[in-house]
Amino acid sequence: MEIKIEDQKNIRILSAMGEVDMHTSPELRKHLLKAVKDKIPIVIVDLKEVSYIDSSGIATLVEALKGMMKYKGSLKLCSLSERVKEIFSFAKLDKVFEIYKDLQDATIG
Amino acid sequence: MEKALIIKDLVAGYNNKIILKKISFDVPKGMITAIVGGSGSGKSTILKHLIGLLKPLSGEIITKGYDLTKLDEKDLNKYRKSMGVLFQGSALLNSLTIEENVALPIREHSKLNESTIKIMVKMKLDLVGLSGFGNFYPSQLSGGMKKRAGIARAMALDPELIFFDEPQAGLDPITASGLDFLIMKLRDLFKMTVVVVTHELHSLFTIADKIIHLDKGELIFDGTKEEFKRSENPKIVNFINRIPEEENYCPEDYFNILTAE
């Protein structure tokens, strides 16, 4: 998995590519916790190029959301594949996260 | 159709007694395959071979292009990490809480941070309907809850392949039915390949996409549940209608059994 980082004003965009699994999710966690530590107001995780995300990846996102809520930051997810959407919905996390159709919507939403 | 496992001419046994007699069948990916048969048919033996606990006398078990039966312990452990097993008695560690039981394989096989593991464990417990029971010990749970906890642990590493050894054994019909729905959920939501060893007819006809019927170590049926129901094989008809088989040995055989040294 690779992560591309882009900063725009108050927004940090993390674009993940590949599979987010137990081997790679610590890398995503590192970038998300850095954003939490820096108290970035809005973090967008773009999952467009993510072919698979396992429970460690989802748990990592939950952990980051919990950290961001402490300083009223906003964690947005965008471009989820149908399968990833289903997993979020089943885990009842589709109502917990702000989920957007694509990066453009997440940026202006 | 993609195959998760290909079993070719598998011969297996214990102490010179042949239990599986040249069995061949496929396990399709993303589907539920049920292995059925009466007691002593060889279904538990085949399960032990599919999870790499036993080596066969001959034959192959192919998965992802390699033969399981030829793997050394190191590569077998890699394979075992990609699958989960719910054993008959759930096999939970009684000295650990349910949360600790589920976390154990994650702690053993990953370098994930403890806070990530805690969230993962909560997700698994919620998946099986055990939210709020994480701090309970196995002895404090009912039989059905133990099975669910066992499934949560089998799911800990997000396996592609999950095996159930008689999951409904000892459960009341309602709890068993709930377990059936959970097994189907694993297939539908997580696209898991599921192999269930069972002799529960109701469960079989509810969950199975494919049925393998073993009889005294021989494969006598390999097909869909609709084909299974239509089968005219007397052994399958008896199995479906719960008609016990007649003793097939003569008084002389019986005498020999009793007097054998």
Side-chain angles (χ1 to χ4, degrees), chain A residues 22 25-26 29 52 54-56 58-60 62-63 83 86-87 90-93, chain B residues 110 112-113 115-116 119-120 123-124 126-127 156-158 185 188-191:
Chain A
M22 292 194 198
S25 62
R29 182 175 185 270
Y52 172 74
D54 73 0
S55 58
S56 73
I58 294 175
T60 299
V62 171
E63 197 183 348
R83 190 174 165 197
E86 274 178 26
I87 292 171
F90 178 74
K92 295 166 232 152
L93 290 170
Chain B
S110 78
L112 294 172
N113 187 280
S115 52
T116 309
I119 295 169
M120 283 172 73
M123 284 164 60
K124 308 289 175 187
D126 186 65
L127 173 78
L157 295 170
D158 291 341
K185 201 157 78 179
D188 299 337
L189 189 65
F190 299 102
K191 318 293 178 206

PDB file of all heavy atoms in Angstrom, chain A residues 22 25-26 29 52 54-56 58-60 62-63 83 86-87 90-93, chain B residues 110 112-113 115-116 119-120 123-124 126-127 156-158 185 188-191:
ATOM      1  N   MET A  22      -3.599  -6.052   7.611  1.00  0.00           N
ATOM      2  CA  MET A  22      -2.870  -6.044   8.893  1.00  0.00           C
ATOM      3  C   MET A  22      -1.389  -5.676   8.747  1.00  0.00           C
ATOM      4  O   MET A  22      -0.780  -5.229   9.696  1.00  0.00           O
ATOM      5  CB  MET A  22      -3.005  -7.407   9.559  1.00  0.00           C
ATOM      6  CG  MET A  22      -4.436  -7.595   9.990  1.00  0.00           C
ATOM      7  SD  MET A  22      -4.696  -8.924  11.109  1.00  0.00           S
ATOM      8  CE  MET A  22      -6.460  -9.113  10.887  1.00  0.00           C
ATOM      9  N   SER A  25      -1.905  -1.501   7.462  1.00  0.00           N
ATOM     10  CA  SER A  25      -2.684  -0.495   8.199  1.00  0.00           C
ATOM     11  C   SER A  25      -1.846   0.309   9.213  1.00  0.00           C
ATOM     12  O   SER A  25      -2.174   1.477   9.470  1.00  0.00           O
ATOM     13  CB  SER A  25      -3.927  -1.108   8.842  1.00  0.00           C
ATOM     14  OG  SER A  25      -3.576  -2.082   9.776  1.00  0.00           O
ATOM     15  N   PRO A  26      -0.769  -0.255   9.796  1.00  0.00           N
ATOM     16  CA  PRO A  26       0.048   0.588  10.687  1.00  0.00           C
ATOM     17  C   PRO A  26       0.609   1.833   9.980  1.00  0.00           C
ATOM     18  O   PRO A  26       0.785   2.888  10.600  1.00  0.00           O
ATOM     19  CB  PRO A  26       1.179  -0.362  11.123  1.00  0.00           C
ATOM     20  CG  PRO A  26       0.557  -1.719  11.082  1.00  0.00           C
ATOM     21  CD  PRO A  26      -0.331  -1.672   9.856  1.00  0.00           C
ATOM     22  N   ARG A  29      -2.190   4.248   9.906  1.00  0.00           N
ATOM     23  CA  ARG A  29      -2.357   4.722  11.285  1.00  0.00           C
ATOM     24  C   ARG A  29      -1.337   5.815  11.613  1.00  0.00           C
ATOM     25  O   ARG A  29      -1.663   6.838  12.221  1.00  0.00           O
ATOM     26  CB  ARG A  29      -2.191   3.546  12.244  1.00  0.00           C
ATOM     27  CG  ARG A  29      -2.396   3.892  13.699  1.00  0.00           C
ATOM     28  CD  ARG A  29      -2.324   2.652  14.566  1.00  0.00           C
ATOM     29  NE  ARG A  29      -2.645   2.961  15.949  1.00  0.00           N
ATOM     30  CZ  ARG A  29      -1.745   3.321  16.845  1.00  0.00           C
ATOM     31  NH1 ARG A  29      -0.468   3.423  16.522  1.00  0.00           N
ATOM     32  NH2 ARG A  29      -2.122   3.609  18.086  1.00  0.00           N
ATOM     33  N   TYR A  52      -8.960  -3.294  -1.272  1.00  0.00           N
ATOM     34  CA  TYR A  52      -9.418  -4.125  -0.143  1.00  0.00           C
ATOM     35  C   TYR A  52      -9.049  -3.439   1.160  1.00  0.00           C
ATOM     36  O   TYR A  52      -7.961  -2.866   1.287  1.00  0.00           O
ATOM     37  CB  TYR A  52      -8.725  -5.492  -0.236  1.00  0.00           C
ATOM     38  CG  TYR A  52      -8.952  -6.388   0.955  1.00  0.00           C
ATOM     39  CD1 TYR A  52     -10.174  -7.028   1.151  1.00  0.00           C
ATOM     40  CD2 TYR A  52      -7.940  -6.605   1.896  1.00  0.00           C
ATOM     41  CE1 TYR A  52     -10.375  -7.857   2.243  1.00  0.00           C
ATOM     42  CE2 TYR A  52      -8.138  -7.448   2.987  1.00  0.00           C
ATOM     43  CZ  TYR A  52      -9.353  -8.065   3.156  1.00  0.00           C
ATOM     44  OH  TYR A  52      -9.560  -8.883   4.232  1.00  0.00           O
ATOM     45  N   ASP A  54      -9.292  -4.396   5.346  1.00  0.00           N
ATOM     46  CA  ASP A  54      -9.728  -5.401   6.321  1.00  0.00           C
ATOM     47  C   ASP A  54     -10.111  -4.723   7.637  1.00  0.00           C
ATOM     48  O   ASP A  54     -10.139  -3.488   7.744  1.00  0.00           O
ATOM     49  CB  ASP A  54      -8.663  -6.493   6.503  1.00  0.00           C
ATOM     50  CG  ASP A  54      -7.458  -6.014   7.292  1.00  0.00           C
ATOM     51  OD1 ASP A  54      -7.428  -4.837   7.697  1.00  0.00           O
ATOM     52  OD2 ASP A  54      -6.541  -6.834   7.519  1.00  0.00           O
ATOM     53  N   SER A  55     -10.400  -5.527   8.646  1.00  0.00           N
ATOM     54  CA  SER A  55     -10.896  -4.958   9.898  1.00  0.00           C
ATOM     55  C   SER A  55      -9.836  -4.123  10.606  1.00  0.00           C
ATOM     56  O   SER A  55     -10.173  -3.189  11.336  1.00  0.00           O
ATOM     57  CB  SER A  55     -11.421  -6.049  10.816  1.00  0.00           C
ATOM     58  OG  SER A  55     -10.427  -6.997  11.087  1.00  0.00           O
ATOM     59  N   SER A  56      -8.556  -4.411  10.357  1.00  0.00           N
ATOM     60  CA  SER A  56      -7.524  -3.580  10.996  1.00  0.00           C
ATOM     61  C   SER A  56      -7.534  -2.179  10.375  1.00  0.00           C
ATOM     62  O   SER A  56      -7.300  -1.178  11.061  1.00  0.00           O
ATOM     63  CB  SER A  56      -6.142  -4.226  10.863  1.00  0.00           C
ATOM     64  OG  SER A  56      -5.658  -4.138   9.544  1.00  0.00           O
ATOM     65  N   ILE A  58     -10.234  -0.703   9.064  1.00  0.00           N
ATOM     66  CA  ILE A  58     -11.430  -0.014   9.568  1.00  0.00           C
ATOM     67  C   ILE A  58     -11.198   0.425  11.014  1.00  0.00           C
ATOM     68  O   ILE A  58     -11.526   1.554  11.390  1.00  0.00           O
ATOM     69  CB  ILE A  58     -12.673  -0.927   9.431  1.00  0.00           C
ATOM     70  CG1 ILE A  58     -12.948  -1.156   7.943  1.00  0.00           C
ATOM     71  CG2 ILE A  58     -13.884  -0.297  10.105  1.00  0.00           C
ATOM     72  CD1 ILE A  58     -14.046  -2.127   7.640  1.00  0.00           C
ATOM     73  N   ALA A  59     -10.588  -0.450  11.811  1.00  0.00           N
ATOM     74  CA  ALA A  59     -10.307  -0.103  13.211  1.00  0.00           C
ATOM     75  C   ALA A  59      -9.372   1.111  13.283  1.00  0.00           C
ATOM     76  O   ALA A  59      -9.522   1.979  14.145  1.00  0.00           O
ATOM     77  CB  ALA A  59      -9.676  -1.292  13.924  1.00  0.00           C
ATOM     78  N   THR A  60      -8.443   1.183  12.342  1.00  0.00           N
ATOM     79  CA  THR A  60      -7.514   2.324  12.295  1.00  0.00           C
ATOM     80  C   THR A  60      -8.272   3.630  12.037  1.00  0.00           C
ATOM     81  O   THR A  60      -8.004   4.658  12.667  1.00  0.00           O
ATOM     82  CB  THR A  60      -6.464   2.076  11.184  1.00  0.00           C
ATOM     83  OG1 THR A  60      -5.751   0.889  11.514  1.00  0.00           O
ATOM     84  CG2 THR A  60      -5.505   3.236  11.034  1.00  0.00           C
ATOM     85  N   VAL A  62     -11.427   4.133  12.729  1.00  0.00           N
ATOM     86  CA  VAL A  62     -12.237   4.402  13.932  1.00  0.00           C
ATOM     87  C   VAL A  62     -11.366   5.082  14.995  1.00  0.00           C
ATOM     88  O   VAL A  62     -11.782   6.070  15.634  1.00  0.00           O
ATOM     89  CB  VAL A  62     -12.841   3.087  14.491  1.00  0.00           C
ATOM     90  CG1 VAL A  62     -13.492   3.317  15.854  1.00  0.00           C
ATOM     91  CG2 VAL A  62     -13.859   2.505  13.511  1.00  0.00           C
ATOM     92  N   GLU A  63     -10.162   4.574  15.139  1.00  0.00           N
ATOM     93  CA  GLU A  63      -9.237   5.137  16.136  1.00  0.00           C
ATOM     94  C   GLU A  63      -8.916   6.604  15.812  1.00  0.00           C
ATOM     95  O   GLU A  63      -8.899   7.464  16.700  1.00  0.00           O
ATOM     96  CB  GLU A  63      -7.963   4.289  16.103  1.00  0.00           C
ATOM     97  CG  GLU A  63      -7.081   4.440  17.305  1.00  0.00           C
ATOM     98  CD  GLU A  63      -5.795   3.629  17.156  1.00  0.00           C
ATOM     99  OE1 GLU A  63      -5.686   2.786  16.237  1.00  0.00           O
ATOM    100  OE2 GLU A  63      -4.884   3.874  17.969  1.00  0.00           O
ATOM    101  N   ARG A  83     -18.032  -2.876  -2.156  1.00  0.00           N
ATOM    102  CA  ARG A  83     -17.777  -3.867  -1.115  1.00  0.00           C
ATOM    103  C   ARG A  83     -17.385  -3.199   0.194  1.00  0.00           C
ATOM    104  O   ARG A  83     -17.843  -3.571   1.270  1.00  0.00           O
ATOM    105  CB  ARG A  83     -16.675  -4.823  -1.593  1.00  0.00           C
ATOM    106  CG  ARG A  83     -16.545  -5.994  -0.683  1.00  0.00           C
ATOM    107  CD  ARG A  83     -15.576  -7.008  -1.191  1.00  0.00           C
ATOM    108  NE  ARG A  83     -15.231  -7.921  -0.111  1.00  0.00           N
ATOM    109  CZ  ARG A  83     -14.186  -8.719  -0.132  1.00  0.00           C
ATOM    110  NH1 ARG A  83     -13.383  -8.724  -1.164  1.00  0.00           N
ATOM    111  NH2 ARG A  83     -13.933  -9.517   0.872  1.00  0.00           N
ATOM    112  N   GLU A  86     -20.387  -1.715   1.767  1.00  0.00           N
ATOM    113  CA  GLU A  86     -21.205  -2.741   2.426  1.00  0.00           C
ATOM    114  C   GLU A  86     -20.652  -3.086   3.808  1.00  0.00           C
ATOM    115  O   GLU A  86     -21.396  -3.252   4.760  1.00  0.00           O
ATOM    116  CB  GLU A  86     -21.219  -4.032   1.590  1.00  0.00           C
ATOM    117  CG  GLU A  86     -22.261  -4.063   0.513  1.00  0.00           C
ATOM    118  CD  GLU A  86     -22.190  -5.345  -0.295  1.00  0.00           C
ATOM    119  OE1 GLU A  86     -21.728  -6.367   0.232  1.00  0.00           O
ATOM    120  OE2 GLU A  86     -22.592  -5.315  -1.467  1.00  0.00           O
ATOM    121  N   ILE A  87     -19.336  -3.207   3.872  1.00  0.00           N
ATOM    122  CA  ILE A  87     -18.712  -3.558   5.154  1.00  0.00           C
ATOM    123  C   ILE A  87     -18.930  -2.429   6.173  1.00  0.00           C
ATOM    124  O   ILE A  87     -19.273  -2.678   7.321  1.00  0.00           O
ATOM    125  CB  ILE A  87     -17.211  -3.872   4.968  1.00  0.00           C
ATOM    126  CG1 ILE A  87     -17.068  -5.166   4.154  1.00  0.00           C
ATOM    127  CG2 ILE A  87     -16.490  -4.006   6.309  1.00  0.00           C
ATOM    128  CD1 ILE A  87     -15.669  -5.494   3.713  1.00  0.00           C
ATOM    129  N   PHE A  90     -22.552  -2.617   7.199  1.00  0.00           N
ATOM    130  CA  PHE A  90     -22.810  -3.726   8.094  1.00  0.00           C
ATOM    131  C   PHE A  90     -22.268  -3.448   9.494  1.00  0.00           C
ATOM    132  O   PHE A  90     -22.881  -3.772  10.507  1.00  0.00           O
ATOM    133  CB  PHE A  90     -22.196  -5.018   7.550  1.00  0.00           C
ATOM    134  CG  PHE A  90     -22.424  -6.154   8.484  1.00  0.00           C
ATOM    135  CD1 PHE A  90     -23.673  -6.718   8.590  1.00  0.00           C
ATOM    136  CD2 PHE A  90     -21.412  -6.602   9.298  1.00  0.00           C
ATOM    137  CE1 PHE A  90     -23.908  -7.736   9.493  1.00  0.00           C
ATOM    138  CE2 PHE A  90     -21.628  -7.617  10.198  1.00  0.00           C
ATOM    139  CZ  PHE A  90     -22.878  -8.192  10.300  1.00  0.00           C
ATOM    140  N   ALA A  91     -21.100  -2.838   9.540  1.00  0.00           N
ATOM    141  CA  ALA A  91     -20.487  -2.539  10.843  1.00  0.00           C
ATOM    142  C   ALA A  91     -21.127  -1.308  11.485  1.00  0.00           C
ATOM    143  O   ALA A  91     -20.637  -0.819  12.504  1.00  0.00           O
ATOM    144  CB  ALA A  91     -18.984  -2.354  10.670  1.00  0.00           C
ATOM    145  N   LYS A  92     -22.185  -0.811  10.867  1.00  0.00           N
ATOM    146  CA  LYS A  92     -22.927   0.361  11.336  1.00  0.00           C
ATOM    147  C   LYS A  92     -22.032   1.595  11.387  1.00  0.00           C
ATOM    148  O   LYS A  92     -22.233   2.495  12.198  1.00  0.00           O
ATOM    149  CB  LYS A  92     -23.562   0.097  12.706  1.00  0.00           C
ATOM    150  CG  LYS A  92     -24.632  -0.981  12.679  1.00  0.00           C
ATOM    151  CD  LYS A  92     -24.966  -1.438  14.078  1.00  0.00           C
ATOM    152  CE  LYS A  92     -24.884  -2.912  14.206  1.00  0.00           C
ATOM    153  NZ  LYS A  92     -24.570  -3.512  15.425  1.00  0.00           N
ATOM    154  N   LEU A  93     -21.007   1.600  10.569  1.00  0.00           N
ATOM    155  CA  LEU A  93     -20.069   2.732  10.585  1.00  0.00           C
ATOM    156  C   LEU A  93     -20.393   3.753   9.498  1.00  0.00           C
ATOM    157  O   LEU A  93     -19.801   4.817   9.450  1.00  0.00           O
ATOM    158  CB  LEU A  93     -18.629   2.223  10.402  1.00  0.00           C
ATOM    159  CG  LEU A  93     -18.074   1.454  11.605  1.00  0.00           C
ATOM    160  CD1 LEU A  93     -16.764   0.792  11.254  1.00  0.00           C
ATOM    161  CD2 LEU A  93     -17.898   2.368  12.803  1.00  0.00           C
TER     162      LEU A  93
ATOM    163  N   SER B 110       0.293 -10.457  14.321  1.00  0.00           N
ATOM    164  CA  SER B 110       0.437  -9.143  13.686  1.00  0.00           C
ATOM    165  C   SER B 110       1.236  -8.224  14.601  1.00  0.00           C
ATOM    166  O   SER B 110       1.490  -8.563  15.760  1.00  0.00           O
ATOM    167  CB  SER B 110      -0.941  -8.517  13.414  1.00  0.00           C
ATOM    168  OG  SER B 110      -1.471  -7.975  14.609  1.00  0.00           O
ATOM    169  N   LEU B 112       0.153  -5.140  15.140  1.00  0.00           N
ATOM    170  CA  LEU B 112      -0.773  -4.022  15.290  1.00  0.00           C
ATOM    171  C   LEU B 112      -0.698  -3.450  16.696  1.00  0.00           C
ATOM    172  O   LEU B 112      -0.430  -4.173  17.663  1.00  0.00           O
ATOM    173  CB  LEU B 112      -2.205  -4.481  14.998  1.00  0.00           C
ATOM    174  CG  LEU B 112      -2.497  -4.901  13.559  1.00  0.00           C
ATOM    175  CD1 LEU B 112      -3.889  -5.504  13.454  1.00  0.00           C
ATOM    176  CD2 LEU B 112      -2.373  -3.711  12.612  1.00  0.00           C
ATOM    177  N   ASN B 113      -0.995  -2.154  16.754  1.00  0.00           N
ATOM    178  CA  ASN B 113      -1.010  -1.461  18.030  1.00  0.00           C
ATOM    179  C   ASN B 113      -2.171  -1.978  18.885  1.00  0.00           C
ATOM    180  O   ASN B 113      -3.219  -2.339  18.370  1.00  0.00           O
ATOM    181  CB  ASN B 113      -1.191   0.029  17.726  1.00  0.00           C
ATOM    182  CG  ASN B 113      -1.062   0.864  18.937  1.00  0.00           C
ATOM    183  OD1 ASN B 113      -2.016   0.954  19.695  1.00  0.00           O
ATOM    184  ND2 ASN B 113       0.090   1.439  19.139  1.00  0.00           N
ATOM    185  N   SER B 115      -4.288  -0.462  20.717  1.00  0.00           N
ATOM    186  CA  SER B 115      -5.570   0.256  20.611  1.00  0.00           C
ATOM    187  C   SER B 115      -6.323  -0.158  19.342  1.00  0.00           C
ATOM    188  O   SER B 115      -7.550  -0.220  19.335  1.00  0.00           O
ATOM    189  CB  SER B 115      -5.352   1.767  20.649  1.00  0.00           C
ATOM    190  OG  SER B 115      -4.382   2.133  19.702  1.00  0.00           O
ATOM    191  N   THR B 116      -5.591  -0.472  18.268  1.00  0.00           N
ATOM    192  CA  THR B 116      -6.244  -0.949  17.035  1.00  0.00           C
ATOM    193  C   THR B 116      -6.853  -2.330  17.300  1.00  0.00           C
ATOM    194  O   THR B 116      -7.992  -2.606  16.900  1.00  0.00           O
ATOM    195  CB  THR B 116      -5.217  -1.059  15.880  1.00  0.00           C
ATOM    196  OG1 THR B 116      -4.503   0.161  15.769  1.00  0.00           O
ATOM    197  CG2 THR B 116      -5.893  -1.372  14.565  1.00  0.00           C
ATOM    198  N   ILE B 119     -10.179  -2.219  19.159  1.00  0.00           N
ATOM    199  CA  ILE B 119     -11.324  -1.850  18.315  1.00  0.00           C
ATOM    200  C   ILE B 119     -11.715  -3.027  17.422  1.00  0.00           C
ATOM    201  O   ILE B 119     -12.898  -3.347  17.255  1.00  0.00           O
ATOM    202  CB  ILE B 119     -11.006  -0.591  17.470  1.00  0.00           C
ATOM    203  CG1 ILE B 119     -10.800   0.615  18.390  1.00  0.00           C
ATOM    204  CG2 ILE B 119     -12.116  -0.302  16.466  1.00  0.00           C
ATOM    205  CD1 ILE B 119     -10.225   1.842  17.717  1.00  0.00           C
ATOM    206  N   MET B 120     -10.692  -3.705  16.875  1.00  0.00           N
ATOM    207  CA  MET B 120     -10.974  -4.873  16.015  1.00  0.00           C
ATOM    208  C   MET B 120     -11.763  -5.935  16.778  1.00  0.00           C
ATOM    209  O   MET B 120     -12.724  -6.507  16.263  1.00  0.00           O
ATOM    210  CB  MET B 120      -9.659  -5.502  15.525  1.00  0.00           C
ATOM    211  CG  MET B 120      -9.002  -4.738  14.417  1.00  0.00           C
ATOM    212  SD  MET B 120      -7.352  -5.418  14.084  1.00  0.00           S
ATOM    213  CE  MET B 120      -7.753  -6.939  13.266  1.00  0.00           C
ATOM    214  N   MET B 123     -15.275  -5.013  17.142  1.00  0.00           N
ATOM    215  CA  MET B 123     -15.995  -5.195  15.869  1.00  0.00           C
ATOM    216  C   MET B 123     -16.377  -6.662  15.660  1.00  0.00           C
ATOM    217  O   MET B 123     -17.481  -6.971  15.225  1.00  0.00           O
ATOM    218  CB  MET B 123     -15.128  -4.724  14.692  1.00  0.00           C
ATOM    219  CG  MET B 123     -15.052  -3.215  14.560  1.00  0.00           C
ATOM    220  SD  MET B 123     -13.698  -2.680  13.483  1.00  0.00           S
ATOM    221  CE  MET B 123     -14.134  -3.453  11.968  1.00  0.00           C
ATOM    222  N   LYS B 124     -15.445  -7.553  15.969  1.00  0.00           N
ATOM    223  CA  LYS B 124     -15.708  -8.997  15.769  1.00  0.00           C
ATOM    224  C   LYS B 124     -16.821  -9.456  16.714  1.00  0.00           C
ATOM    225  O   LYS B 124     -17.691 -10.237  16.329  1.00  0.00           O
ATOM    226  CB  LYS B 124     -14.456  -9.842  16.054  1.00  0.00           C
ATOM    227  CG  LYS B 124     -13.207  -9.422  15.332  1.00  0.00           C
ATOM    228  CD  LYS B 124     -13.249  -9.720  13.871  1.00  0.00           C
ATOM    229  CE  LYS B 124     -12.014  -9.158  13.186  1.00  0.00           C
ATOM    230  NZ  LYS B 124     -12.043  -9.256  11.748  1.00  0.00           N
ATOM    231  N   ASP B 126     -19.166  -7.646  17.989  1.00  0.00           N
ATOM    232  CA  ASP B 126     -20.438  -7.079  17.541  1.00  0.00           C
ATOM    233  C   ASP B 126     -20.988  -7.879  16.361  1.00  0.00           C
ATOM    234  O   ASP B 126     -22.188  -8.142  16.275  1.00  0.00           O
ATOM    235  CB  ASP B 126     -20.242  -5.607  17.153  1.00  0.00           C
ATOM    236  CG  ASP B 126     -21.564  -4.949  16.815  1.00  0.00           C
ATOM    237  OD1 ASP B 126     -22.401  -4.840  17.728  1.00  0.00           O
ATOM    238  OD2 ASP B 126     -21.778  -4.589  15.647  1.00  0.00           O
ATOM    239  N   LEU B 127     -20.090  -8.283  15.483  1.00  0.00           N
ATOM    240  CA  LEU B 127     -20.490  -9.068  14.312  1.00  0.00           C
ATOM    241  C   LEU B 127     -21.240 -10.338  14.706  1.00  0.00           C
ATOM    242  O   LEU B 127     -22.188 -10.752  14.034  1.00  0.00           O
ATOM    243  CB  LEU B 127     -19.224  -9.439  13.518  1.00  0.00           C
ATOM    244  CG  LEU B 127     -19.388 -10.385  12.341  1.00  0.00           C
ATOM    245  CD1 LEU B 127     -19.958  -9.637  11.147  1.00  0.00           C
ATOM    246  CD2 LEU B 127     -18.071 -11.022  11.951  1.00  0.00           C
ATOM    247  N   ALA B 156     -10.858 -13.486  13.635  1.00  0.00           N
ATOM    248  CA  ALA B 156      -9.939 -12.461  14.138  1.00  0.00           C
ATOM    249  C   ALA B 156      -8.990 -11.917  13.075  1.00  0.00           C
ATOM    250  O   ALA B 156      -8.768 -10.715  12.981  1.00  0.00           O
ATOM    251  CB  ALA B 156      -9.147 -13.002  15.326  1.00  0.00           C
ATOM    252  N   LEU B 157      -8.449 -12.802  12.261  1.00  0.00           N
ATOM    253  CA  LEU B 157      -7.456 -12.369  11.275  1.00  0.00           C
ATOM    254  C   LEU B 157      -8.061 -12.159   9.886  1.00  0.00           C
ATOM    255  O   LEU B 157      -7.353 -12.212   8.873  1.00  0.00           O
ATOM    256  CB  LEU B 157      -6.309 -13.386  11.202  1.00  0.00           C
ATOM    257  CG  LEU B 157      -5.465 -13.508  12.481  1.00  0.00           C
ATOM    258  CD1 LEU B 157      -4.528 -14.702  12.391  1.00  0.00           C
ATOM    259  CD2 LEU B 157      -4.653 -12.254  12.746  1.00  0.00           C
ATOM    260  N   ASP B 158      -9.363 -11.938   9.833  1.00  0.00           N
ATOM    261  CA  ASP B 158     -10.070 -11.729   8.557  1.00  0.00           C
ATOM    262  C   ASP B 158      -9.747 -12.825   7.543  1.00  0.00           C
ATOM    263  O   ASP B 158      -9.227 -12.543   6.447  1.00  0.00           O
ATOM    264  CB  ASP B 158      -9.720 -10.354   7.952  1.00  0.00           C
ATOM    265  CG  ASP B 158     -10.291  -9.219   8.759  1.00  0.00           C
ATOM    266  OD1 ASP B 158     -11.213  -9.456   9.535  1.00  0.00           O
ATOM    267  OD2 ASP B 158      -9.798  -8.094   8.606  1.00  0.00           O
ATOM    268  N   LYS B 185     -24.040 -14.894   6.474  1.00  0.00           N
ATOM    269  CA  LYS B 185     -23.604 -13.495   6.470  1.00  0.00           C
ATOM    270  C   LYS B 185     -22.102 -13.416   6.147  1.00  0.00           C
ATOM    271  O   LYS B 185     -21.665 -12.535   5.407  1.00  0.00           O
ATOM    272  CB  LYS B 185     -23.884 -12.905   7.860  1.00  0.00           C
ATOM    273  CG  LYS B 185     -23.977 -11.414   7.902  1.00  0.00           C
ATOM    274  CD  LYS B 185     -24.788 -10.970   9.112  1.00  0.00           C
ATOM    275  CE  LYS B 185     -24.029 -11.014  10.405  1.00  0.00           C
ATOM    276  NZ  LYS B 185     -24.787 -10.565  11.569  1.00  0.00           N
ATOM    277  N   ASP B 188     -21.880 -13.862   2.406  1.00  0.00           N
ATOM    278  CA  ASP B 188     -22.437 -12.781   1.598  1.00  0.00           C
ATOM    279  C   ASP B 188     -21.702 -11.463   1.784  1.00  0.00           C
ATOM    280  O   ASP B 188     -21.469 -10.733   0.827  1.00  0.00           O
ATOM    281  CB  ASP B 188     -23.924 -12.598   1.924  1.00  0.00           C
ATOM    282  CG  ASP B 188     -24.721 -13.858   1.612  1.00  0.00           C
ATOM    283  OD1 ASP B 188     -24.242 -14.650   0.774  1.00  0.00           O
ATOM    284  OD2 ASP B 188     -25.795 -14.052   2.206  1.00  0.00           O
ATOM    285  N   LEU B 189     -21.356 -11.165   3.014  1.00  0.00           N
ATOM    286  CA  LEU B 189     -20.767  -9.862   3.285  1.00  0.00           C
ATOM    287  C   LEU B 189     -19.258  -9.850   3.078  1.00  0.00           C
ATOM    288  O   LEU B 189     -18.714  -8.938   2.459  1.00  0.00           O
ATOM    289  CB  LEU B 189     -21.096  -9.459   4.728  1.00  0.00           C
ATOM    290  CG  LEU B 189     -20.742  -8.045   5.091  1.00  0.00           C
ATOM    291  CD1 LEU B 189     -21.569  -7.055   4.296  1.00  0.00           C
ATOM    292  CD2 LEU B 189     -20.955  -7.797   6.574  1.00  0.00           C
ATOM    293  N   PHE B 190     -18.602 -10.861   3.568  1.00  0.00           N
ATOM    294  CA  PHE B 190     -17.138 -10.870   3.503  1.00  0.00           C
ATOM    295  C   PHE B 190     -16.602 -11.745   2.377  1.00  0.00           C
ATOM    296  O   PHE B 190     -15.391 -11.910   2.242  1.00  0.00           O
ATOM    297  CB  PHE B 190     -16.548 -11.306   4.856  1.00  0.00           C
ATOM    298  CG  PHE B 190     -16.921 -10.385   5.974  1.00  0.00           C
ATOM    299  CD1 PHE B 190     -17.914 -10.723   6.867  1.00  0.00           C
ATOM    300  CD2 PHE B 190     -16.302  -9.154   6.111  1.00  0.00           C
ATOM    301  CE1 PHE B 190     -18.278  -9.862   7.892  1.00  0.00           C
ATOM    302  CE2 PHE B 190     -16.659  -8.292   7.135  1.00  0.00           C
ATOM    303  CZ  PHE B 190     -17.649  -8.640   8.030  1.00  0.00           C
ATOM    304  N   LYS B 191     -17.529 -12.297   1.576  1.00  0.00           N
ATOM    305  CA  LYS B 191     -17.147 -13.143   0.420  1.00  0.00           C
ATOM    306  C   LYS B 191     -16.248 -14.298   0.862  1.00  0.00           C
ATOM    307  O   LYS B 191     -15.332 -14.699   0.146  1.00  0.00           O
ATOM    308  CB  LYS B 191     -16.451 -12.315  -0.682  1.00  0.00           C
ATOM    309  CG  LYS B 191     -17.053 -10.967  -0.970  1.00  0.00           C
ATOM    310  CD  LYS B 191     -18.436 -11.068  -1.576  1.00  0.00           C
ATOM    311  CE  LYS B 191     -19.046  -9.693  -1.804  1.00  0.00           C
ATOM    312  NZ  LYS B 191     -20.497  -9.686  -1.796  1.00  0.00           N
TER     313      LYS B 191
END
